[in-house]
Amino acid sequence: MATAIGTNMVEAKPRVAGDKNDARRLRQTGMIPAVLYGAGLEPLAVSVDPKQMTRILHSETGHNTIFDVTVDGTQAKAMIVDWQFEPIKSSLLHVDLKRIAMDKVLRLKVPITLKGEAPGVKQQGGVLEHVLREVEIECLPGDIPSRIDVDISNLVFGVNIRIADLPKSDKIMYLSDENAMIVHLTQIKEEVAPAADAVATEVAAGPAEPEVIKKGKQETEEAGEEKAKKK
């Protein structure tokens, strides 16, 4: 399991915060606007390389990656806490960076990864349902895991894996509800065919007469009765 401490060195350049037109002009130079804040310091408007930010977001540890950011020769640990993509071209438009104090506990979410094969799928015909894909944890920055692995090699019907069943660690505290379901097996619901007797009865009865026809027959019969009385 990889940790979230990366080897990336990000060089951010100070910029003057402006409007959308200023941000558009900045992107035309190959950089994107960003904000660096946290650690009790004033927020700082900066520009960063979008390719470098995208590589970090797409890495194994993703946005939980902690990297070194340098602004005017001053270096600090940071991580990406928010970002914005252009919806059509999927190009990165903006990021928020947060300074990280390595001696202070962080609260964040990490992905849950299933490992192994569930015998309940192959042997019992069950369907694997991965309900919870992230878990909220609390730990020091240096102990952030890239993911939490869950072994499903013993998963059969009647066995459910919950937060309380996750691997224990003295470096990580799980904050999510310990009874929250992570993964279990479900059955495929088969469509119930109509009973043979019901089908036979329906065929024998034949199609129901349309209401218009019924009404016409009724009127005809009533007319016949009236004529019979007159005779």
Side-chain angles (χ1 to χ4, degrees):
M1 181 186 300
T3 62
I5 301 295
T7 58
N8 301 280
M9 177 69 75
V10 174
E11 183 177 355
K13 297 179 180 180
R15 66 179 175 88
V16 177
D19 56 19
K20 291 183 178 180
N21 291 328
D22 293 321
R24 190 178 298 111
R25 283 191 288 270
L26 177 61
R27 294 187 189 104
Q28 291 174 350
T29 68
M31 304 291 279
I32 60 171
V35 176
L36 177 64
Y37 65 93
L41 301 176
E42 288 292 323
L44 182 62
V46 296
S47 61
V48 293
D49 183 349
K51 294 181 181 178
Q52 197 168 24
M53 295 293 101
T54 301
R55 281 197 297 270
I56 292 173
L57 288 172
H58 291 168
S59 67
E60 184 180 2
T61 49
H63 64 88
N64 287 334
T65 303
I66 296 176
F67 51 87
D68 293 309
V69 58
T70 303
V71 184
D72 282 343
T74 301
Q75 184 173 308
K77 296 288 185 183
M79 62 192 302
I80 302 173
V81 293
D82 197 10
W83 59 96
Q84 181 183 358
F85 277 101
E86 198 279 328
I88 298 177
K89 298 180 180 180
S90 296
S91 55
L92 197 59
L93 297 177
H94 184 279
V95 293
D96 285 350
L97 308 177
K98 183 178 180 179
R99 300 183 188 91
I100 300 299
M102 298 302 290
D103 59 347
K104 291 187 178 181
V105 170
L106 288 177
R107 179 176 293 192
L108 67 162
K109 291 183 178 181
V110 294
I112 295 174
T113 304
L114 305 183
K115 296 293 183 181
E117 293 184 359
V121 174
K122 286 190 174 181
Q123 299 173 13
Q124 298 176 309
V127 176
L128 191 70
E129 186 173 5
H130 190 178
V131 181
L132 193 65
R133 298 180 180 272
E134 285 186 325
V135 59
E136 188 176 17
I137 67 169
E138 192 175 75
C139 66
L140 289 171
D143 297 325
I144 300 175
S146 60
R147 63 184 182 274
I148 302 294
D149 293 331
V150 173
D151 182 12
I152 60 171
S153 58
N154 294 317
L155 188 62
V156 293
F157 278 111
V159 175
N160 301 319
I161 300 179
R162 303 177 185 274
I163 295 291
D165 303 314
L166 291 177
K168 301 297 186 291
S169 171
D170 57 355
K171 296 181 179 180
I172 297 174
M173 179 183 295
Y174 297 113
L175 302 178
S176 301
D177 181 5
E178 65 176 11
N179 293 316
M181 180 73 68
I182 295 176
V183 60
H184 66 149
L185 294 174
T186 61
Q187 288 182 322
I188 299 177
K189 294 182 179 180
E190 297 181 359
E191 293 186 8
V192 179
D197 293 343
V199 174
T201 303
E202 186 177 344
V203 172
E209 292 186 64
E211 187 63 28
V212 175
I213 296 177
K214 283 185 177 180
K215 186 176 180 182
K217 289 181 67 177
Q218 184 179 0
E219 291 176 349
T220 303
E221 290 170 358
E222 289 176 353
E225 289 177 3
E226 290 293 326
K227 288 180 179 180
K229 288 179 182 179
K230 289 179 180 179
K231 290 180 179 181

